[in-house]
Amino acid sequence: MTKQKTAANSRWMASAARCALPLLVAGVALPASAGHNNHAYVVNQAGNTVSVIDMATNDVTATISVGFTPVAAAVSPDGNRVYVANSQANTVSVIDALTNIVAAEVPVGSTPAAVTVGADGRKAYVANSGDDTVSVIDATTNTVSSTIAVGSTPLSIAAGPLGARVYTGNIGDGTVSVIDTRAGRTVATVPVNGVPFGLDVGPFGARLYAPDIGSNGVAVVDTLKNAVIGTLAAGNGAYDVATSLVGTPVYVSNFADNTVSVIEPLSRKTLATVAVGNSPEAVAVSRYSGRVYITNSGSNNVSVIDPFSNKVVATVGVGNSPAAVATQPE
């Protein structure tokens, strides 16, 4: 492809994104899920609990006890189940989102650090940082159906939107492992030369973003080539990342300077730097409102950012040391 075509294509994508965002935020073309309850689920690492936030009112409506030292969460595509990785219990708690009751405890590998759910909701994938594997959970039986070897010390995981790929961020060797979900094995390893605490895949599956807490940048991976094609400059201690509903902008939590960088990935420009709470870690975006939820582990609260003004519109007190957040697909 010529440079002219690439530039024109980038401008078209940016224009399309701007046009599509108001429709998506208004709820157009977003199917209602069976377990719809408009909640964000916040994992409190030091409290062994999950705080349930009503995203309409920003009130905590429930607190759920889970396993020892929970560190990550993911919600199934239909909204019915919430998976919580309990790092010191070597389990995943499966929460029924309709009742806020733990329906199952699934034993997984050593020191589970991250969890995601496949696009069809049939499988959950758990990154086990203690034994360099991914446990694949059958969502029907709540049992581990297979185990996949990945890179060294996987601390983050993300699923592609089409269901064919799952990615782990491996801090032990500075790589991203690419899992073919149909084959059930790792098919590629991408050097990102950093410490990928967080990962996210764009909504079209073409780009993967891997923040590096050491370099304050975000590696941009072309998922077709399985290669790094650029870097986004973020703040001090780039920790986690989430893309907006249409793939732009990208939100990066900066653990060391208590901010969130709002970045336009096509031009690689920082659109805003938003002050949040102390030691921000996890980032999640609401599919209905486009609002951005940030867990501030040092101040025991969650900052809510409006995507249009790039300002904090609410601060929600939660449990002790909130380490992760997942929003329900509405």
Side-chain angles (χ1 to χ4, degrees), residues 146-158:
S146 64
T147 301
I148 302 169
V150 293
S152 176
T153 320
L155 283 191
S156 52
I157 195 165

Side-chain angles (χ1 to χ4, degrees), residues 195-208:
V195 185
F197 276 168
L199 287 183
D200 197 23
V201 184
F204 308 111
R207 297 289 182 266
L208 175 117

Side-chain angles (χ1 to χ4, degrees), residues 16-187:
R18 287 192 293 270
C19 293
L21 181 58
L23 294 176
L24 288 171
V25 169
V28 176
L30 289 179
S33 61
H36 166 73
N37 58 15
N38 196 34
H39 285 162
Y41 300 87
V42 180
V43 170
N44 303 306
Q45 181 174 354
N48 303 327
T49 61
V50 172
S51 297
V52 183
I53 298 175
D54 185 321
M55 291 190 288
T57 64
N58 291 319
D59 293 327
V60 174
T61 59
T63 301
I64 306 166
S65 295
V66 289
F68 191 49
T69 318
V71 293
V75 183
S76 62
D78 63 6
N80 285 336
R81 298 176 304 282
V82 183
Y83 296 87
V84 178
N86 306 306
S87 64
Q88 296 305 305
N90 298 333
T91 64
V92 168
S93 298
V94 183
I95 298 170
D96 183 325
L98 293 174
T99 62
N100 287 328
I101 293 173
V102 174
E105 292 283 354
V106 184
V108 291
S110 175
T111 321
V115 60
T116 191
V117 185
D120 62 6
R122 296 178 180 179
K123 295 178 180 178
Y125 299 85
V126 184
N128 303 307
S129 62
D131 58 18
D132 305 336
T133 65
V134 168
S135 296
V136 182
I137 297 175
D138 184 311
T140 302
T141 63
N142 287 324
T143 58
V144 172
S145 58
S146 64
T147 301
I148 302 169
V150 293
S152 176
T153 320
L155 283 191
S156 52
I157 195 165
L162 301 179
R165 294 286 186 268
V166 167
Y167 305 86
T168 63
N170 312 308
I171 69 164
D173 53 18
T175 65
V176 169
S177 295
V178 183
I179 296 171
D180 182 319
T181 58
R182 294 181 178 88
R185 60 185 178 86
T186 297
V187 294

